[in-house]
Each structure stands twice: as structure tokens, then as C-alpha cells.
Amino acid sequence: MKMNFLTSHFVAVCFIFCLTGLRCSDAAGSPVRDIHGLTVYVRDEQKGYGPIFEEQPIDTVYPDESPEGRVTMNCRARGIPTPTYKWQRNNKDIDIKMAKEHRSMIGGNLEIINPERSRDEGTYVCIAYNVHGTIRSREATLNFGYLHPFPPEERHPVKVREGVGAVLLCNPPPHYPEFITLDKRRYVSQSNGNLYIAKVEASDKGNYSCFVTSNSITKSTKGYLPDIRVKFKDTYALLGQNVTLECFALGNPVPEIRWNKYLEPMPTSAEISMSGAVLRIYNIQFEDEGTYECEAENHRGKDKYSAKVYVQAYPEWVEHINDTERDLGSEFHWPCVAAGKPIPTIRWLKDGLPYWKGDLRFSSLRNEDSGMYQCVAENMHGMIYSNAELKVIVLAPTFDYYPMKKEVLAARGGQAIIECKPRAAPRPKLTWSKGAEILRNSTRIHIWYDGSLEIINVTAADAGNYTCFVENFKGKANSSSALVTTAPTRIDLAPTNVDVIVGQNATMQCHATHDPFLDLTFIWLLNGYPIDVDKESEYYERSIMTGELVQQLLALKYLQGVRWLHRCLLGAVERNTIWQFFIQFPQLCSGGPPGPPGGLKVEDIRNTSVVLTWSRGTDNHSPISNYTIQSRTFLSEYWKDMKTDPPIVEGNVESAKVIDLIPWMEYEFRIMATNILGTGEPSMPSQKIRTEGSQVGGGGGSNRELTITWVPLPREYHFGNNFGYVVSFKSFDQKDWKRVTVPHADASRYVHKDEAMPPSSKYQVRVGAFNNKGEGPFSLTAIIFSAQDAPSEKPRNVNVKVRSSTEASVSWQHILNPAVTGYEIRYWSNREKEIAANKVQVSNQNFSVRLENLKPDTQYYVDVAAFNTAGFGPTSNTLAFVTEKAPPRQRPRIISAVRSGSKYVITWDHVKSQSNESTVKGYKVLYRPDGQFNGTLFKTGKHYIEVPAPLKGQYVVEVRVHSEGGDGEVAQVRIPGAAAGISPSCLGLLLPAIGILAYVGF
């Protein structure tokens, strides 16, 4: 009988073990498994690894009548031993031997010769496997491209009356794939007919055809209403895609087409082209989802159409699986989380076969749970795979990987930790002894979950030999460490805080006593980093005095302006063990005025103001309190302090607005920083800029008014007495200019009243100046509008959403009227009168607002009105809403914070809501380093949580109630970092420590 290599190899292994007297099941490990028709014995040794895809098949389109005559579907995987491949089409195995003239395999690649739609079109999957398991590739489709000819029948001519609209139908013949859509990347020239592709992508591959049409020119004769004939349907788009919406209307005159998004601003990536007929949204995002409206209008009337755009997303991994080893009999949860829209479903494959749906958990791992797993996330848009190997380990206890230390030193009065970390699977039972005495947990002795033995308040009697015994069903092992106790090392005199003036020297002292059996070494740190005194002898000197007390002196030689980058240091006492000592570290502050700011730029240049931005310079150990901005012009060679908004430029900002500039003037700027030690050097001057000219503007005001404004000229440009302004204006249907004299040098506006003036009329305006010598030239002519009428339409579809006990949001439908410049939202409680209502105003770009600082469990009323410079329109219908009850006032009472191995378990009492408080929905837990505000936020419905034990430093755990009314008061507990020894070889890892470290060398 013919036997493949894989099968014969494992039969040989089994046979050899049987000759030694072992059972075949012992040798082969797990039972025999059948993987896709192959008999495979699972080996006990965990050498090698399962298949991992390096290349998978992709969707392919093969054009009909292609001269190539073949299609290749690629597949490549690595693994030890080298994987074997097979292919499936439409979930059925492909027999390469039966169709060797039509299909062949080269490595893992499938090659199809002379493809035919009837037998080759479909979905393909590559399967790779070795002794460790099997994985399936992503699904890839093979489709055939085609374009059938147009029917030979002659089409009927389209006859229309001149001046009206017409529709010519295309009715394209059956085809695949779809015709080319034009976007930013692809363009068809209307002059030469060329197709241009800015950046070719793999999806562009294929055969192209060019179609040419001719346009005819018509002349309008009779006007009629717009009629939208090209409409877009409800559209589903994938996140990141480009979306094209078309809207075209018949009408005479040709209608103007406008687009908007209902109740929301248009996406920033939206682009309108083809005279308004095409709206393209590039790289569409979830927030771009909504209802889009197309409006066609001419002077005869308007037509509207709207449809929805839904944004969905292909699955993507939030958390995927990785190769994992776990002990036999242990619990195991394999998280696999994917995002997408619709939310993807999760299913699992094991060795290429369906295995599980949803969350994958093992309560007690078995040998047969080993294998290749694939987590598949799938929604209507596609699927993604995450592959990993699970190895279930069975191992007798051994100390070969992590031997116990032969000797452990402990300071009397301190603590000792003796580690016992054997490798074993399943987890072994662990016992400690001192000599012949079995040790158990007590007030001074604690055996941790990870096997470590901790002794608190070490005494001389604790010295001796400690043995760790471990056992599981595969065997036993033990190992020992000798505990040696020593006199504690103490810092008798710590350095004190020192303030140093730049250019002076400073000396700091450190005194310590220690066990004579040990050597003592001092290390000084600056900003958490060890100082190499030998390499930095230009700045430091060190001397050591020996005797009953060990004293070390460190002299710091500061040079003017060189060491300003040293920051003030501050440490804290953390532990006092034989391994490490953190003591109060001195402040070392070398001071001086700030350095010059850099990168000065001038932005947002207006006629009387500019915005400056810069990068802060060095503060030289004294915080920057404020900045001074100066400028100069051609009128003077001296720098002049400038006015800013706000008047004081605080030291924590890096931008400022300079005001009261002269229009049409050339300026250059510089900036200086100040601290308590003085004002530093100025920055490099900015590039010269010119402010804008004195602008004429206006508009707005009350009904039947024309408001004209201008920027007054500075006194140095009056050039004479009796200075004033000449204001000239006229409407577009008037021939003659009206002329008014304003005899005030500081005037900046003129209001013309005329009861016959129509609202929102367009006017031409210009302003000139005069003095006792005559008139100067007029400004450029500006276009402004007379005052509008107040809005006549009230906002509709006003909605209120209560967010908490003190917040609610109000939204409304946008009024499509350019005369509306904003909205006013009024709100008042049932205990207040409407006349005393609170008011919030927003621009016409806003369709919602958040109301804050409301009272809990209170009824409020709200309405919305549109406004412009002429006044307010009618208010909307008044809505009533009730805020949520206040969150519970009782803070959680923390019962305990217990360490369990590498974690802390924090437990608290459940909080019960009072009748006037919101119902408790759960708890928020913030886990953060002590002294910092940011950390990791957890949410739970339970009254306990597990958090990691800090590796160093102290952490704070904050617990608060979460309810519909908001979050309650905070309860907190501090948890210390893990205790750990530091050997001389580990000094380079002490970078986070801030302080002086004295350690004992051996």
C-alpha cells in the first residue's frame, strides 16, 4: 500500500517508542486525528510551529477572450515542518490529479489553464497544514469579465420641443464589472478623449473601451419649473470609500443645483462638480452618514429630492489571537474582538474545521485542545481571519529554567523575599520548609500565589536554609536557598535642599552606616539618571571619607549658562532594605533669565492686527511668567512694546494677537520671555509683513438702514487740520452717488436711514478723507447690503435629549434662509418665570446646543428662535423636559485591597440609591499612578475589580458610582508597588528612580 511521507514518519516514531516498552499512546501524545483525509499522530514534543500565511489568494477577474489563457491563485505559508497545501472551490475539494491538464499546483499556488466560466467561476480557499494543525485562507472569488454587444435593433428617435428638457436612455447591455467611475484619481478629457489615471492601483487592471458622443446646442424659448430627473437612491458606503451622488434637473432657465446635509454641516471632504450635478464625498467617515438633499431652483420655482447615505465598515480587529502556550488543566479565555458595521459575528475554526461561535473559553484545557485556531470575524461586507496556535503543555516540575538563588541577603528589621519559580504543567502544588519545619502563612510569613516566600521584620533567627517542594501528576522537584541576615544599611544624614545661583559651586553630603560584612557604594542621580562623575569631571567632584560612618561629598561646579538644562530634583522615601534606599533628594536649582523664544511666525494678517506664534525657549529653572512683544517700522529704528489681546501674554502660551496696528504698514516683530530672575534675550526678528489696507465694510443694522464702516487713519497720516471723512454710496440701479461728510477724525461708521430702502439691497460704497488742504483719494469700492428684515420662519423639529441630572442637549431643523445669522435658545425651570429665561446664542452653522448647570429632577421649558441683525423671528413650539435625578451622594465604601500574586483585588460595598437619587447602573474605576491625573478607566457592574500590582511606585484606585444622573463621589485607595531586589548589574535599569540610591555590593 502506498503511504505518504507524513504518515510513515509518525508510524516510525510510534514503533520506536513501542520497542522501548512504552505504550503507543504515551509516545504519540494525543489520539490519532484525521485532518482532511490524512492520518496524523500528534507528537508530544512541542518542537516547530503550525502554518502561518505569508500570501493568500485575492479576488480576481478574468476577461473573456483573454489571450493569456491562464489564471493563478497565490498561496504561501511558513511553518515547521513545511506545510502541505490543498484547495477548495465552493467548499468542495479540488482533485488536482483528476484535472491535471486543467489545474496544477506550483508550491501552494493554484494555476488554472484555459479558464471556463461554467467550471471555474466561484469562491476559492487555500488550506495549509502540518503536524501542528490546519489553517484556511481568506475566501477569494474568481469572476469572468464580459461586455455583451448592444442589441442590433434601431432605437426610436427622441423628439422634443426646443427649449425644454430631454432624457436619452442608455440601457447598457449585460456587463461585468461596472463601468469606470470618475473621481480624483481617474479623469476623462473632454477635448482629446484620453483617460488619465493619476495613481494606478491593482483594481485598475483590465481591458478598457472608449465611447464618444456629440452634444447639440439648443436655445431656450420658454421657461418652466425645475424637474429633478436624475436622482440618487439610498446609498450604502464602506468606511473610507469615495461616494458619488448625482442630481440633475430639467428646466428653463437651466436650474441652479444646491446640496446640503439635513440638520448637519456638509462633510469637509465633500466636493461638488459638473455644475452642481455631482456630489462626491471622499474618504467617507461614520459622521458623514445622514440625509442628503438636492435642490434645483430657477426663477420659476424649485424642486427638492433627498435620500440617505449609510456608512458601514468592513470588519477590522480590535483584539486578535496570538500563538499561546497554556498548562494542562488550566482555565483559558481567548479574546477575539472585531469592529465593523454591522457588528461582525465571531466564529472559530480549529484545524480548518468549524469549531465554535462567539466567545471561546476553556474551563480545563486538555491535550486534544492543542491545534491551529482561526478566529473569523464576518459581516455582510466580508470576513477577516486571525490565526494562532494553541499548545497545551504537560511538563514535570523542573528548576532548570529558573534556578533558585543559592544565597539571599536580608537586612534585620527589613523584609526578605525568596523566589520559587519552577516550570511545570499543570500548575504544581507548592510547599516551603525551613530545615525540617514546614512553613505556613502567619503574621510574619506569607507564601504568595506565584510561589515566592516573604518574611517581614527579619530577625537573626530567620537565617537558615529554605527549601521549596513542588509536585504535579508528572513528577516532583525541590530546590533550596540560604537566607543570610545582616545589619541594616542606614542613611544617617541625607542631603538638604540647595539653591544655587548660576556660576556658583555647591557641595552635598551623604552619611551612611552599614554591615561591615558588606561593601557600600553610593550612586548620585540627576533627573532620575545616574551621574558619571568620571566622565563629567568638568562639573562634578567626588570624595569619600571612611571610618565608623561612611561619608561621601559631591561637589557640583556650575559654569555660567552651561548647566541651565539641569532641573530641580525632588525625591521621596520609598523603602529601606538592604537592596535599595530612596531618600529625600535635594533641590538643585541653577537659575537665570529665560532663553530667547524660537520659531517666531506671523499669521492671520489683518488691517490692524496679526497673530504671532512661537516656541518657548529654556526657562533656566524659573518658570516663565509672561512675554513681551515688540515691533518696529520704517518710521523708527527703535523697538516698541505692542498692545495684545489679552493685555498680558502669560508664560504658558505660545501664541498671541497683536492689536492696534496701522493699516498698510510694514512691520517686523520680536518677543522676549520674563521670569522672576529677569527678562531674557529677544528672539530673532520675524520676517517683515505688511498689514492689510484700511477696509471699507458694513451691512446689518436695523430695518431700513444702510450701515457703512471703515478703519480710521492714525493721527500721523492726517497731514493737516480739520480732518474728516467723505462717505459716498449708491445702489446698483442708481446712476448718481450720494455724498455725506463726517467731520470727525476718529469716526469709523455712518448709518444712512431711508424708509423706502428695500431690505437686503446691494450697495456700492467708498470712503475718502479730507483736511484743510483738500480731499484725498477714495478707497476701493466695497459691496455691502442694507439691513435685513427679521426672520419670519420659526425653527421646526425641536428635540430635547436629557443627558444627566445637570445637562441636556437641544437640536432643531436648519432654516434654509441666508437671512438667518443665528439662533437663540431660551430655557427656564417651572419655578421661574419665562421673562427670566436663560439664553444661549449660536451661529447659523449650529443645529444643536448643550444646556449645562441645570438643577436635578426639575422640569424645564425650552424654545428656539432665529435671528439676524434686524431682530428675532417667531419662537418654536415650547417643549418641556425633566432632568434626571441627582447621582447617589453616598460614595462607595472600599472594604479591602488584597494582593493576589501579580494583581490586587479591590472590593467595595454596593451603593443603594435613595428615593431622590438616580438608580445605580454600575461603577467606574480609575487606575492611575499616584500624582498623575490620567490612567486606565474600567467600567463594571460588580462590587470588586482586579488591577495589576504596580511594578514600581504607588498607584491610586478611584471608585465612583455611575448612574443616569451622572457620576457620584469618588472613593480611593492607594496600593504600593512590588518589592524587588536590585543587584549591582541592574543599576542601569534604575532610570525612573528619583533620589539617592545606596546599595550593597558583594
Side-chain angles (χ1 to χ4, degrees), residues 18 122 190-191 285 312 315 374 412 416 504 588 646 694 723 730 759 772 826 877 896 938 995:
C18 287
Q190 299 303 304
S191 60
Q285 301 298 305
Q312 301 195 333
Q374 293 178 277
R412 291 188 287 275
Q504 292 184 356
L588 178 60
S694 181
F723 184 86
K730 74 180 186 69
N772 58 351
R826 301 189 309 156
N877 297 332
S896 63
F938 304 93

Side-chain angles (χ1 to χ4, degrees), residues 499 501 589 591-594 619-626 673-680:
D499 290 330
I501 303 300
C589 303
D619 59 15
N620 294 333
H621 305 305
S622 178
I624 296 173
S625 57
N626 64 281
T674 300
N675 63 15
I676 59 173
L677 298 177
T679 299

Side-chain angles (χ1 to χ4, degrees), residues 161-165 218-224 251-252:
R161 189 174 67 254
E162 184 179 15
V164 301
T218 60
K219 183 171 67 175
S220 299
T221 58
K222 181 181 178 181
Y224 63 93
N252 188 7

Side-chain angles (χ1 to χ4, degrees), residues 461-758:
D462 291 322
N465 200 53
Y466 290 80
T467 303
C468 178
F469 297 91
V470 288
E471 177 182 2
N472 66 13
F473 78 91
K474 294 289 287 185
K476 302 178 181 179
N478 64 78
S479 185
S480 300
S481 289
L483 179 64
V484 178
T485 63
T486 66
T489 302
R490 293 192 305 271
I491 302 293
D492 298 292
L493 178 61
T496 58
N497 292 345
V498 179
D499 290 330
V500 185
I501 303 300
V502 175
Q504 292 184 356
N505 295 345
T507 301
M508 290 179 289
Q509 304 179 51
C510 185
H511 297 234
T513 58
H514 69 293
D515 192 303
F517 173 72
L518 304 172
D519 295 327
L520 188 66
T521 301
F522 291 87
I523 292 179
W524 296 80
L525 290 88
L526 174 66
N527 288 336
Y529 293 87
I531 298 173
D532 190 329
V533 178
D534 296 330
K535 288 186 177 179
E536 298 192 71
S537 58
E538 182 181 359
Y539 304 110
Y540 303 103
E541 288 180 354
R542 176 170 54 189
S543 63
I544 298 177
M545 299 173 56
T546 58
E548 183 178 350
L549 292 179
V550 176
Q551 171 184 349
Q552 185 170 81
L553 303 178
L554 181 69
L556 295 93
K557 303 181 297 181
Y558 277 77
L559 303 180
Q560 177 73 29
V562 175
R563 303 300 291 178
W564 283 359
L565 294 178
H566 285 213
R567 297 183 181 276
C568 301
L569 304 179
L570 188 62
V573 177
E574 288 289 344
R575 296 196 179 278
N576 186 17
T577 73
I578 197 165
W579 293 104
Q580 62 183 21
F581 303 89
F582 291 98
I583 58 112
Q584 183 72 29
F585 198 80
Q587 280 194 334
L588 178 60
C589 303
S590 61
L600 182 60
K601 293 182 180 179
V602 186
E603 301 173 343
D604 194 18
I605 301 170
R606 304 293 179 90
N607 54 344
T608 61
S609 68
V610 297
V611 173
L612 301 185
T613 62
W614 62 88
S615 299
R616 66 172 55 240
T618 57
D619 59 15
N620 294 333
H621 305 305
S622 178
I624 296 173
S625 57
N626 64 281
Y627 290 98
T628 302
I629 296 175
Q630 296 182 326
S631 76
R632 67 182 176 187
T633 68
F634 71 91
L635 299 175
S636 172
E637 61 179 307
Y638 299 106
W639 290 92
K640 173 184 175 184
D641 290 354
M642 301 304 296
K643 291 183 180 180
T644 59
D645 182 16
I648 298 177
V649 183
E650 301 287 350
N652 59 348
V653 302
E654 295 183 0
S655 68
K657 184 177 182 179
V658 183
I659 59 174
D660 290 354
L661 302 179
I662 300 172
W664 201 246
M665 178 66 70
E666 191 176 75
Y667 282 92
E668 58 181 335
F669 300 90
R670 71 180 187 181
I671 183 169
M672 297 175 292
T674 300
N675 63 15
I676 59 173
L677 298 177
T679 299
E681 293 294 320
S683 67
M684 294 290 292
S686 69
Q687 289 186 336
K688 291 183 179 180
I689 60 95
R690 185 182 294 274
T691 53
E692 295 183 354
S694 181
Q695 297 289 336
V696 175
S702 302
N703 290 346
R704 314 308 179 208
E705 288 183 352
L706 178 67
T707 302
I708 303 168
T709 62
W710 61 91
V711 178
L713 284 175
R715 294 281 178 178
E716 56 262 40
Y717 291 100
H718 290 184
F719 301 123
N721 298 322
N722 301 327
F723 184 86
Y725 298 95
V726 177
V727 180
S728 183
F729 57 93
K730 74 180 186 69
S731 66
F732 274 77
D733 57 1
Q734 293 174 333
K735 293 183 179 180
D736 299 327
W737 291 79
K738 292 183 179 180
R739 178 183 171 96
V740 178
T741 300
V742 182
H744 301 290
D746 297 327
S748 61
R749 62 188 279 128
Y750 170 74
V751 179
H752 173 69
K753 297 180 180 289
D754 184 352
E755 292 299 324
M757 183 186 303

Side-chain angles (χ1 to χ4, degrees), residues 923-984:
Y923 300 90
K924 291 182 179 179
V925 181
L926 180 64
Y927 174 73
R928 61 177 175 82
D930 195 7
Q932 297 185 19
F933 297 103
N934 297 325
T936 305
L937 182 66
F938 304 93
K939 293 183 180 180
T940 180
K942 302 175 182 178
H943 64 99
Y944 64 88
I945 195 169
E946 290 185 353
V947 296
L951 296 178
K952 60 188 176 184
Q954 185 170 249
Y955 271 62
V956 176
V957 180
E958 297 181 351
V959 184
R960 69 182 73 200
V961 169
H962 176 59
S963 70
E964 292 285 359
D967 296 338
E969 294 293 324
V970 172
Q972 62 177 223
V973 64
R974 284 175 168 78
I975 56 177
I982 300 179
S983 67

Side-chain angles (χ1 to χ4, degrees), residues 247-248 255-259 272-278:
C247 178
F248 187 77
E256 179 184 353
I257 297 176
R258 293 185 294 271
W259 293 85
I272 298 172
S273 61
M274 303 295 289
S275 300
V278 175

Side-chain angles (χ1 to χ4, degrees), residues 13 47 55 215 345 350 392 404 504 664 757 775 979:
V13 172
K47 297 179 180 178
E55 186 176 14
N215 298 325
T345 58
K350 183 188 176 198
V392 179
M404 290 179 61
Q504 292 184 356
W664 201 246
M757 183 186 303
E775 293 185 5

